[in-house]
């Protein structure tokens, strides 16, 4: 008996298992998961403007990154517009009691000074002091003769942190001050001065990496009283001006009994041992406090919180009956959190034509405003229709949902004053962050949606990038875009994200956080991913005529709505290391172009899948076939039908070829081949109720490096007809 392997039209890459496909995603459709002040949980909501984003998920809040990423997305997409399918998530774990914890604001390395200290009382155990120690390497002469009687040409060679300095004295180097001038002029990273009538050479570095090595053989050694040998700096840090979190951890934990020091995105996090509100981290004083990004003060732990955030609500009724309970909500779903407390107001009035019905005014007070403004009005409500009207999933209220107690068939009393929703709680969101699995759960909300790219406005680690790869590879028709951690070095990125590189990858990563206006008179650092998607994946291809295979990089992807971008200055070796060794894409700065996306690579190791535009093109071809060729299902599997399928595919591929999607050498027939005849549809395949069409294509590659060779000639240039 013949068994069907798949029903309907199936378009797939030859080395990918059968994968359900969705409709062709237009340019500018983005899926994102994130935390936000409001919004229904674990459901994708469509927004086509920044104003709509504020309405659905709340305005800007320094607690949440999403609002700033949304602003970056829409501002960089500009006139071309964007469609955001956003999914709010929350943590699913119970909120256990936690110890006191405080995170610094400065990213390593930290510029300290010798003997800087920090005094901390952890969990009321008493003051404890951690001190950062460092001295310079120093060499002092013994028995130097001044004036020197140098005739000129005398030499002194020494190394400073391994870098060799060579001094050739002139005959003018007689007095000790003249000698010091000529030594100091020979290089950088050290200083020479007089000490007790002798020459002293000191490294500029404080710490154990500091070293001065006097090399043997110098003809000026005896006259200066110097001998060959090495002097090392001392202390408990390598370089006091470049202290790492690891060094802070070692020094502070050694000096304290109950304090734990962790690295959190390159910042120092102090955490106590005792859980609950009785635990505390009390930073008392010390010159190192502000340099580590901390402030003097006390932070307490928290007790067990509620299992989940709860929505605000209000009950309107007639005496003890006819109870209508209004809860903060959005299109039939509850909208938990504290956002509606004292912000959403209801006013119930008698309907003008039927006193047995009610009209409802929903009013909203924007953060910072003193007046609630009507945002919705519903008329002619009674027990028979209020639930179906307000809780309608497409046309209902975007501020409340309503519930009627069983058996109540009347209407509540009219309002004498507007009544505010209250008692909404942030619950565990106040102290616990969602886990990777919480964000993974949010990805399911994008199944069946037309999205070109999917991202996360919050997480920036390799675990999330791996989850994103799994989801996108499973769909095989969407590109995942992720962010690397703030302040991470190229070496750290290489180590943390190496496991994500694979033969054919469906994700692309970007380095850097950006600084933006926080909307409250200051600035805030947020992931650059929203800005990148708006500029590179929407504005650039849309401005070029909706060319889906446009490489999302280059100077035309300049970023708007940024004050600065971290790690935007690279040497050529650093750019190559980031691109070749990590496949993470960089954002760079040039004075004439501003900040823009420099490279466009996926995490693929196979060269044919390396470029992002090839992945975008392949996704587009697959889902376009899926959408447009469905009318061939259930048609006869005969030469005429196969010809129709082949011709339809060729027509579509020729349209892409006219947009320069494929290589041009040798013409269309040399770069695109479509086979749908008896050669790949033998009788056995036909009997299995399958029709096969093979499409081979050679995508056009981009120029990642442009080389212009300048050739100077002294023989003249002759131009002749060929």
């Amino acid at each position: 008996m013949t068994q069907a392997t798949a029903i309907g039209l199936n378009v797939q890459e030859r080395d990918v298992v059968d994968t359900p496909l969705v409709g062709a995603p237009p340019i500018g459709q983005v899926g994102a998961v994130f935390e936000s002040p409001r919004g229904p949980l674990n459901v994708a909501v469509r927004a086509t403007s920044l104003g709509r984003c504020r309405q659905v998920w709340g305005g800007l809040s320094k607690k949440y990154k999403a609002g700033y990423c949304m602003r970056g997305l829409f501002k960089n997409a500009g006139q071309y517009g964007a469609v955001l399918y956003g999914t709010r998530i929350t943590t699913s774990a119970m909120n256990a009691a936690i110890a006191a914890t405080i995170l610094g604001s400065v990213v390593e390395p930290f510029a300290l000074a010798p003997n800087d200290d920090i005094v901390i009382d952890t969990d009321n155990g008493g003051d404890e002091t951690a001190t950062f120690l460092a001295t310079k390497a120093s060499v002092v002469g013994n028995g130097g003769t001044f004036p020197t009687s140098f005739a000129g040409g005398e030499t002194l060679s020494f190394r400073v942190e391994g870098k060799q300095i060579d001094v050739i004295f002139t005959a003018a180097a007689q007095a000790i001050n003249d000698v010091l001038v000529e030594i100091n002029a020979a290089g950088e990273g050290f200083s020479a001065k007089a000490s007790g009538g002798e020459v002293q050479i000191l490294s500029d570095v404080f710490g154990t990496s500091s070293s001065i090595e006097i090399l043997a053989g110098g003809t000026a050694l005896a006259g200066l009283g110097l001998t060959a040998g090495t002097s090392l700096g001392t202390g408990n840090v390598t370089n006091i001006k470049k202290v790492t979190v690891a060094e802070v951890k070692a020094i502070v934990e050694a000096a304290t009994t109950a304090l734990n020091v962790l690295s959190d995105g390159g910042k120092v996090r102090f955490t106590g041992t005792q859980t609950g509100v009785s635990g505390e981290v009390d930073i008392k004083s010390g010159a190192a406090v502000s340099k580590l990004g901390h402030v003097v003060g006390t932070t307490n732990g928290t007790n067990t919180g509620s299992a989940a955030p709860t929505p605000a609500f209000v009950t309107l009724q007639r005496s003890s009956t006819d109870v209508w309970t209004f809860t903060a909500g959005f299109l039939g779903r509850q909208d938990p959190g504290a956002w509606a407390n004292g912000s959403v107001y209801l006013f119930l009035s008698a309907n003008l034509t039927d006193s047995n019905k009610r009209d409802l005014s929903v009013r909203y007070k924007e953060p910072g405003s003193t007046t609630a403004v009507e945002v919705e009005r519903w008329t002619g409500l009674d027990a028979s229709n209020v639930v179906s009207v307000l809780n309608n999933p497409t046309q209902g209220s975007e501020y409340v949902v309503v519930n009627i107690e069983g058996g109540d068939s009347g209407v509540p009393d009219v309002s004498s004053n507007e009544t505010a929703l209250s008692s909404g709680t942030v619950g565990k969101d106040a102290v616990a962050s969602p886990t990777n699995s919480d964000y993974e759960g949010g990805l399911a909300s994008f199944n069946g949606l037309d999205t070109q790219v999917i991202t996360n406005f919050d997480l920036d680690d390799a675990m999330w990038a791996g989850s994103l790869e799994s989801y996108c590879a499973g769909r095989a028709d969407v590109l995942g875009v992720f962010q690397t951690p703030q302040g991470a070095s190229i070496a750290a990125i290489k180590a943390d994200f190496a496991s994500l590189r694979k033969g054919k990858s469906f994700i692309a990563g970007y380095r850097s956080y950006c600084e933006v206006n926080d909307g409250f008179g200051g600035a805030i650092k947020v992931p650059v991913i929203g800005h990148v998607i708006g500029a590179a994946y929407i504005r650039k291809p849309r401005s070029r005529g909706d060319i889906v295979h446009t490489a999302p990089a280059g100077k035309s992807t300049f970023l708007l709505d940024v004050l600065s971008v971290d790690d935007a200055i690279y040497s050529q070796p650093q750019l190559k290391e980031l691109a070749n060794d990590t496949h993470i894409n960089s954002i760079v700065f040039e004075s004439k172009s501003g900040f823009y996306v420099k490279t466009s690579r996926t995490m693929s190791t196979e060269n044919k899948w390396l470029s992002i535009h090839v992945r975008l093109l392949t996704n587009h071809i697959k889902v376009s076939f899926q959408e447009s060729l469905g009318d061939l299902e259930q048609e006869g599997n005969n030469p005429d039908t196969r010809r129709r399928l082949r011709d339809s595919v060729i027509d579509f591929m020729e349209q892409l070829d006219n947009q320069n999607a494929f290589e041009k050498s040798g013409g269309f027939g040399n770069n695109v081949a479509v086979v749908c005849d008896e050669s790949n549809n033998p009788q056995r395949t036909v009997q299995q109720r399958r029709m096969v069409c093979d499409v081979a294509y050679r995508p056009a590659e981009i120029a990642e490096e442009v080389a212009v060779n300048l050739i100077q000639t002294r023989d003249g240039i002759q131009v002749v007809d060929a």
Side-chain angles (χ1 to χ4, degrees), residues 445-461:
S445 66
F446 303 126
N447 292 343
L449 294 180
D450 289 345
T451 51
Q452 181 190 24
V453 297
I454 289 177
T455 191
N456 185 321
F457 289 153
D458 298 334
L459 295 188
D460 57 11
D461 55 34

Side-chain angles (χ1 to χ4, degrees), residues 90-110:
T90 187
T91 178
S92 58
M94 287 293 291
N95 175 28
I98 62 173
T101 183
I102 183 170
L103 179 65
S105 60
V106 177
V107 177
E108 65 179 345
F110 309 105

Side-chain angles (χ1 to χ4, degrees), residues 420-652:
L421 273 63
S422 62
S423 302
T425 66
V426 293
K428 59 195 174 185
D429 284 352
V431 291
S433 297
T435 64
N436 190 77
S437 61
D438 295 321
Y439 287 96
E440 281 183 333
L443 289 174
S445 66
F446 303 126
N447 292 343
L449 294 180
D450 289 345
T451 51
Q452 181 190 24
V453 297
I454 289 177
T455 191
N456 185 321
F457 289 153
D458 298 334
L459 295 188
D460 57 11
D461 55 34
M463 180 180 291
W464 162 252
S467 299
L468 186 62
E469 167 70 36
S470 297
Y471 176 78
C472 294
R475 278 184 51 166
D477 65 353
V478 68
L479 178 72
V481 179
F482 68 91
Q483 171 98 30
T484 60
Q486 181 181 4
S489 65
I490 295 177
I493 292 172
K494 191 185 306 184
D496 293 345
F497 291 84
S499 62
L500 294 173
R501 295 179 61 186
K502 55 191 295 188
K504 177 163 58 176
S505 174
F506 288 80
I507 58 174
Y510 292 84
R511 186 188 187 199
S512 301
Y513 269 53
C514 60
E515 186 176 45
V516 301
N517 288 319
D518 65 7
F520 304 96
I524 188 172
K525 291 285 185 73
V526 298
V528 76
I529 204 71
H531 297 72
V532 167
I533 293 174
Y537 288 85
I538 300 177
R539 188 181 71 226
K540 181 181 178 182
R542 292 291 305 276
S543 68
R544 299 193 175 187
D546 289 341
I547 305 299
V548 69
H549 52 274
T550 302
K555 294 185 178 181
S556 60
T557 63
F558 56 88
L559 303 185
L560 304 173
D561 188 41
V562 296
L563 301 176
S564 64
V565 176
D566 294 346
D567 306 310
I569 305 296
Y570 293 86
S571 65
Q572 192 58 226
Q574 288 174 324
L575 271 178
K576 289 184 176 180
E577 181 183 10
L578 186 65
N580 295 332
D581 295 350
T582 74
H583 285 203
I584 299 297
N585 298 296
S586 56
I587 288 82
V588 301
F589 175 79
E590 292 183 5
S591 57
K592 292 184 178 180
S593 304
F595 298 99
Y596 67 91
V597 184
K598 183 68 172 178
T599 55
S600 58
R601 297 188 175 198
T602 69
M603 297 297 285
S604 302
T605 55
E606 290 185 29
N607 196 55
K608 67 178 181 178
W609 299 114
L610 179 60
S611 296
I612 292 176
H613 76 280
V614 174
R615 169 48 52 203
L616 295 174
L617 173 64
T618 302
N619 289 349
H620 179 71
I621 292 173
K622 289 160 60 177
V623 295
S624 295
F625 287 170
Q626 185 73 20
E627 273 200 340
S628 60
L629 301 178
D631 59 349
L632 293 175
E633 296 174 16
Q634 303 299 320
E635 295 290 328
N637 192 347
N638 53 50
D640 182 62
T641 307
R642 292 193 287 268
R643 178 188 55 77
R644 288 168 52 205
L645 174 57
R646 183 196 65 215
D647 291 348
S648 296
V649 171
I650 290 175
D651 287 345
F652 177 78

Side-chain angles (χ1 to χ4, degrees), residues 152-192:
E154 289 81 1
T155 61
L156 167 66
S157 294
F158 58 94
R159 294 193 181 105
V160 182
E161 284 82 58
K163 179 182 178 181
Q164 185 160 324
I165 306 295
D166 296 309
V167 185
I168 302 176
F169 292 100
T170 68
Q174 299 296 320
I176 189 170
N177 287 337
D178 298 326
V179 170
L180 297 175
V181 168
E182 296 196 11
I183 295 176
N184 284 322
E188 299 177 341
F190 68 94
S191 62

